[in-house]
Amino acid sequence: MTTTTTSAAQPTTSTPAGGYTSAITDEVVDHPGLDSVERRVVDRIGRADLPGASLLVVQDGELIEQEAWGDYTLATVVPIASGSKWLTAATIMTLVDEGKLDLDEPIASYLPEAEGTDVGDVTTRHLLSLTSGLADERAAPCPETGEGTLQECARQIAAAGLVHPPGTAFRYGSQHMHVAGALAEIVTGESFADLFQERIAKPLGMTSTMFRGIGSRDIENVVHPLPAGSAVSTLGDYGRFLEMLSHDGVAPDGTRILSAEAIAEMRTNHTETVRYAAAAPHRMASEAPYALGSWIDWTDADGEAVVLSSDGKFGFRPWIDTSNDLFAVYLVEDRGSGYVQGDPDASADDGGKVHTSGLFIYEWVAEAVGDPLPKEYFPHRS
C-alpha cells in the first residue's frame, strides 16, 4: 500500500493566456477525508484477490487525492474498455467543430454504399448516442474478431442493416462508434488511432493513453481499433482528459480542444424520448440517460446532468460530479474475480461476488468530500 503523502506540486511558471495551471501532477496526495473510501476499496480488492486499485480526485481545481493501493502505482496502465467511448466522442466532436462531420447529416453523405438504404439515414448524433439502430456483432462480428480494417468492418455493419429506425431506441454496443470512427477516417484520410493521438492525447499530455488493435497489444499502425472499447490509460492521463472537459473544452496551455457548443452537446440527454432496448442489467432497470459517449447518472430537478461517467466492463470509472465541483478516476481491472456493476456481459445476479466497482464509488467520494448525491434524482440504487 502506498504510504507517501505530499501536497500537490506548486506551479513554477505563469499560467498561459486563456489557459490554467493543471491540477494533475505525478505526486501522491492523500486526503484524510477519503481514508474511509480507501479502506473500503482495499478491503474489496483484497477479498476479490485483485492486485490493486487507484483513485484520483480533483475538487475546486485542486488535486486532493491521488493514491495507488496494493501493487498498483500511479503509472499503472489498464484497459479502460467502455471508458474509451468518452474519448471517441470527443475525437469525433473535434471534427464536428471543424465542419468535417455534421451531427445531423445522414451518413450516406460520407459512406456512399449507404445511399438509398435505411442505414443511410443514420446520423453522427445517432452513432454517438448509441441510438442508430445498427445491428450488433451477432449480424456483423468484426468488432469482436478484429477482422479487416476499421472501415471494412464499418461497411459490414452497414450492410447488416437496421434492427430499428434510427433515433427510436437506445441499444448499448460497439457497432455505433465503429461506424463513427470509420467516418472520421473517411473524412480526414487518417487512421482513427492517429486522430485520437493528434486531437486529444498529445495536446493534453496523455502519453500512456492509446487505442490498441482489437485482440492485440499493438499500438503502432493500428488499422482496426475498437473505438468503443480498446483504449488503455492511466489514472493521471484520464484525469487530464476530464480536466479539459471540466474547463469547457480548453487545455491548460490555452489550446481549445472542443468548442463550448460541443461540450454542451456531450452533456445533453440524447435518450429522453427513445425506447430502452439493450444495456447492462442495472442500466436496463434504471433506463439511465445517455449523452454523447457518456452516461448521465444523476440529474438535477431541471433534468440537467449532475454526474457524467463512462465506465468500463473491467471496473475503470471516470466521472464528473458538477454538484461537488469535482472530477475523478477510479482505476481497477477486474476480469471476473469480483462483480463489476455495469459489465454488459454480467447478469443481474452477482453470484455472491465482491462488488469491486460500481456507482457506489461516486457516492462514497461525494459523501466524503462534499454533499451526498441527490437521491431523489438517482435513477438506480444498487
Side-chain angles (χ1 to χ4, degrees), residues 83-98 101 103 124 128 177 180 184 192 195-201 204 206 211 227 238 241-242 244-245 249 256-259 262-263 265-266 290-294 310:
S84 306
K85 289 180 172 67
W86 220 345
L87 304 179
T88 290
T91 304
I92 299 298
M93 291 304 289
T94 66
L95 299 175
V96 173
D97 278 340
E98 292 180 8
L101 287 172
L103 276 180
T124 303
L128 296 185
M177 289 197 175
F192 179 78
L195 285 169
F196 166 71
Q197 287 297 316
E198 293 169 7
R199 292 168 174 268
I200 305 294
L204 295 178
M206 299 168 66
F211 281 85
Y238 212 101
F241 174 70
L242 297 183
M244 177 272 292
L245 295 182
R256 179 160 286 283
I257 307 297
L258 290 163
S259 69
I263 293 292
E265 288 284 7
M266 292 176 68
Y290 201 77
L292 299 182
S294 64
S310 186

Side-chain angles (χ1 to χ4, degrees), residues 273-288:
T273 61
V274 307
R275 175 173 61 89
Y276 230 78
H282 85 95
R283 298 292 188 187
M284 288 296 293
S286 67
E287 296 193 356

Side-chain angles (χ1 to χ4, degrees), residues 49-376:
D49 198 25
L50 297 178
S54 56
L55 177 68
L56 172 151
V57 182
V58 172
Q59 186 175 38
D60 299 324
E62 179 185 356
L63 181 65
I64 64 170
E65 174 79 7
Q66 185 167 236
E67 286 195 280
W69 307 306
D71 294 334
Y72 276 28
T73 71
L74 299 185
T76 296
V77 177
V78 300
I80 65 174
S82 286
S84 306
K85 289 180 172 67
W86 220 345
L87 304 179
T88 290
T91 304
I92 299 298
M93 291 304 289
T94 66
L95 299 175
V96 173
D97 278 340
E98 292 180 8
K100 290 182 169 66
L101 287 172
D102 187 302
L103 276 180
D104 298 307
E105 182 74 16
I107 66 171
S109 298
Y110 314 109
L111 195 66
E113 298 93 321
E115 190 170 355
T117 70
D118 291 341
V119 169
D121 294 330
V122 171
T123 67
T124 303
R125 187 185 301 276
H126 294 142
L127 296 172
L128 296 185
S129 62
L130 315 189
T131 62
S132 70
L134 290 165
D136 61 20
E137 63 275 1
R138 289 169 292 185
C142 51
E144 288 193 342
T145 65
E147 179 183 0
T149 66
L150 178 60
Q151 290 187 45
E152 289 169 346
C153 184
R155 289 183 169 90
Q156 288 183 36
I157 294 169
L162 301 178
V163 294
H164 59 71
T168 63
F170 174 79
R171 188 174 296 275
Y172 196 78
S174 300
Q175 66 274 27
H176 321 272
M177 289 197 175
H178 229 70
V179 174
L183 295 184
E185 291 191 345
I186 290 168
V187 300
T188 64
E190 299 182 60
S191 74
F192 179 78
D194 287 347
L195 285 169
F196 166 71
Q197 287 297 316
E198 293 169 7
R199 292 168 174 268
I200 305 294
K202 290 181 180 177
L204 295 178
M206 299 168 66
T207 57
S208 298
T209 305
M210 60 209 69
F211 281 85
R212 290 176 171 171
I214 295 173
S216 77
R217 301 181 66 85
D218 293 341
I219 59 173
E220 299 292 336
N221 302 315
V222 176
V223 298
H224 198 172
L226 185 67
S230 71
V232 297
S233 192
T234 63
L235 197 68
D237 264 18
Y238 212 101
R240 291 179 175 87
F241 174 70
L242 297 183
E243 185 173 54
M244 177 272 292
L245 295 182
S246 298
H247 281 84
D248 212 27
V250 177
D253 68 359
T255 301
R256 179 160 286 283
I257 307 297
L258 290 163
S259 69
E261 293 77 13
I263 293 292
E265 288 284 7
M266 292 176 68
R267 293 175 176 169
T268 298
N269 180 359
H270 282 73
T271 59
E272 186 173 13
T273 61
V274 307
R275 175 173 61 89
Y276 230 78
H282 85 95
R283 298 292 188 187
M284 288 296 293
S286 67
E287 296 193 356
Y290 201 77
L292 299 182
S294 64
W295 296 100
I296 300 175
D297 290 306
W298 278 264
T299 62
D300 62 19
D302 297 322
E304 298 296 319
V306 169
V307 174
L308 290 152
S309 72
S310 186
D311 57 292
K313 67 178 291 183
F314 307 129
F316 177 82
R317 286 185 175 270
W319 75 100
I320 296 172
D321 174 354
T322 62
S323 69
N324 287 297
D325 193 19
L326 68 79
F327 61 85
V329 182
Y330 172 65
L331 188 143
V332 71
E333 182 180 359
D334 183 350
R335 292 181 178 263
S337 297
Y339 179 80
V340 173
Q341 183 187 50
D343 178 354
D345 296 330
S347 68
D349 179 7
D350 61 17
K353 290 184 175 181
V354 178
H355 287 216
T356 57
S357 182
L359 292 173
F360 57 84
I361 295 289
Y362 311 161
E363 289 186 292
W364 289 356
V365 170
E367 291 166 359
V369 301
D371 295 325
L373 291 167
K375 292 179 174 58
E376 61 268 33

